[in-house]
Every structure is written in structure tokens, then in C-alpha cells.
Amino acid sequence: MPLTTEEREKFLAGPHIGALSVDSGEAGRAPLTVPIWYAYEPGGELWIITERDSRKARLIAAAGRFSLMADQVTPRVRYVSVEGEVVSTRPTTDEELRAMVGRYLAPEAAAAYLRDVAPTFGPEVTIRMRPSRWLSADMGPGE
């Protein structure tokens, strides 16, 4: 059964690991699909952070759009998938990076990530997408 608009937006706002898909741009190749951290607030834009020169960033720039799916299997099986056009790509701010890392990691782990891991990446960009197509389902209680 599909989720209501309120249910799907609330679900997508949760800290799930997303599965991002974007056209590979190459004949004979499937879309690029990769796990990614993302952020979303109901009624707003979905945003991700990635290295500026990554394959993912280049493909998103070429396609001008991408899809993201988030799911859970406990305590009940649910998923939400969104597709939309990119509305902005710009250098990631320190505030955006801290917010994204803090969304997924506990404070001590976030501090360690920002100190030890984040500096190993090249320049990053924040890509914002406006969801325009939604798919969702609540498949009832999990195991």
C-alpha cells in the first residue's frame, strides 16, 4: 500500500542510507547506483554531498537529475523513492558537512570522522534535487 504524502516525506526525512541512481550516459551500461548519505526535510529539497570530481558528480551534472531510494526492513518493510531535477550544485560548506555527518554518526564518531576521514576527500560539492516523482510502499509488519 502506498504511503500518504505526509508518511513518505516523514520517512524520507529519516537517516536512512540512500541508494542513488543516475544515468551512466554510456550505451550498453546500466545506471550508476551507489549508497549515499542524504538529507531531506518535508516539503524541501533533498541534498547530497560528494567529491566534486567523482564519477557520480559528473554523471549527475550531465543528466541534470537523479533518483534516490531509501528503505527499511524492520520493524516493518517500507520504502520511498524520489526522482527529480538538480536545482543547484555548489561547493560544500563546513556547516553542511557537519550537519550531514551529524545526521548519521553519534557525536564522538562524527568528531572523529570530521577530524580523520573528511580531510582525505578532495573538494566536495552539495547537490540539491527537488523531488518531483515519488514511489512508496508500506508492506506491513516485518518479521
Side-chain angles (χ1 to χ4, degrees):
M1 171 155 228
L3 301 173
T4 67
T5 299
E6 182 179 329
E7 288 172 330
R8 72 186 186 201
E9 289 188 347
K10 183 179 178 182
F11 180 85
L12 190 62
H16 307 284
I17 302 298
L20 181 145
S21 290
V22 62
D23 184 358
S24 69
E26 298 177 41
R29 287 202 62 181
L32 172 70
T33 302
V34 294
I36 195 162
W37 289 352
Y38 72 92
Y40 173 77
E41 290 186 21
E45 297 168 349
L46 181 142
W47 57 280
I48 62 167
I49 295 173
T50 190
E51 284 187 276
R52 179 188 65 206
D53 298 325
S54 67
R55 179 172 183 238
K56 171 176 45 224
R58 289 191 313 272
L59 291 175
I60 291 170
R65 62 188 315 104
F66 65 92
S67 297
L68 184 128
M69 190 272 301
D71 68 341
Q72 72 178 34
V73 294
T74 59
R76 59 189 310 128
V77 178
R78 286 182 155 189
Y79 80 87
V80 171
S81 177
V82 294
E83 173 192 345
E85 292 184 26
V86 171
V87 295
S88 70
T89 301
R90 58 182 174 70
T92 299
T93 66
D94 290 341
E95 181 179 309
E96 288 169 330
L97 182 58
R98 282 192 305 275
M100 186 68 76
V101 172
R103 175 174 161 79
Y104 287 94
L105 301 177
E108 287 182 17
Y113 181 94
L114 291 167
R115 181 188 65 240
D116 301 330
V117 179
T120 67
F121 295 116
E124 294 184 306
V125 292
T126 297
I127 302 172
R128 293 183 178 271
M129 177 258 275
R130 183 175 302 114
S132 59
R133 290 188 179 90
W134 294 75
L135 295 172
S136 65
D138 182 338
M139 297 174 215
E143 294 182 27

